Amino acid sequence: MLNEKIAALLNDQVNKELYSAYLYLDFANYFEDEGLDGFAHWYEIQAQEERDHAFMIRRYLIDSGHRVTFEAVAKPDKTFKTHLDPLTAGLEHEKYVTSLICAIYAEAFAAKDFKTMQFLDWFVKEQGEEEKNADDLIKKMKLFGSEPKGLYMLNQELAARVYNAPAQAE
Ligand code: FEO
């Protein structure tokens, strides 16, 4: 069993990850409207990965002997004026999620809960990768996205993203 505070934080993180999936699907909706199907595809896969994160944490709680309870998932409420806006919002969101994961890690560290720390190691690494991916996308958009041919090529590149289930979620 985990201590109650850590279990509650992890339970809440399931909700946060499901919200992340919802948020990125909303980004995909925006890009579908804009006719950028490659960007939409990229965010659909991002949403699938967030769903995986939620499943992984739910499974960890259950395997640790905890009951998982669900709250309502918040409605994504962002509006975008430019194609860059969702990309910027995505990076900000990932930084926020990193802060949440680190806060749980800090609790686990304080409680000498080495099992949870080991479980969260994957998420700490994943957050580093997700922040880098979001930042790389912003850089590419700034470099190439302001003219039609560049935007077309970038859309093609993002359309090639392949979904891979995370090792822990398999
Ligand atoms: Fe599950 Fe993008 O953090």
Side-chain angles (χ1 to χ4, degrees):
M1 293 285 280
L2 312 171
N3 85 32
E4 283 308 314
K5 185 167 185 186
I6 291 169
L9 285 169
L10 286 168
N11 194 108
D12 191 48
Q13 192 63 29
V14 175
N15 184 284
K16 295 289 198 299
E17 300 290 345
L18 290 172
Y19 171 75
S20 297
Y22 219 28
L23 181 70
Y24 289 133
L25 265 186
D26 197 46
F27 289 11
N29 292 341
Y30 164 79
F31 282 117
E32 294 284 0
D33 287 345
E34 293 294 307
L36 290 167
D37 56 351
F39 282 76
H41 171 78
W42 198 89
Y43 279 110
E44 281 171 12
I45 290 182
Q46 193 64 31
Q48 286 177 286
E49 291 196 355
E50 300 301 349
R51 175 208 58 200
D52 290 339
H53 301 167
F55 278 40
M56 288 161 70
I57 298 169
R58 172 183 173 273
R59 175 50 52 196
Y60 179 72
L61 280 164
I62 291 169
D63 289 349
S64 300
H66 289 269
R67 173 97 172 73
V68 177
T69 55
F70 288 148
E71 302 296 335
V73 178
K75 177 180 178 177
D77 59 357
K78 296 190 188 309
T79 53
F80 307 121
K81 290 195 175 72
T82 73
H83 295 149
L84 186 61
D85 287 349
L87 279 50
T88 309
L91 177 59
E92 285 311 305
H93 183 69
E94 286 308 325
K95 287 180 179 173
Y96 167 64
V97 174
T98 299
S99 76
L100 297 173
I101 296 291
C102 289
I104 306 171
Y105 203 105
E107 284 295 332
F109 181 79
K112 293 189 169 62
D113 179 351
F114 302 115
K115 188 169 79 114
T116 298
M117 287 163 65
Q118 188 180 48
F119 171 71
L120 289 174
D121 279 342
W122 185 91
F123 285 85
V124 172
K125 185 164 176 279
E126 176 75 2
Q127 283 310 122
E129 288 172 10
E130 293 208 338
E131 286 190 27
K132 182 182 183 307
N133 290 343
D135 195 43
D136 286 351
L137 196 49
I138 289 170
K139 285 182 183 140
K140 284 182 184 174
M141 191 62 155
K142 285 182 175 171
L143 276 171
F144 311 117
S146 56
E147 56 94 18
K149 191 174 177 191
L151 186 61
Y152 178 80
M153 297 295 285
L154 190 50
N155 188 60
Q156 295 292 97
E157 180 186 321
L158 297 185
R161 184 176 182 184
V162 175
Y163 167 71
N164 291 305
Q168 283 195 357
E170 283 169 355

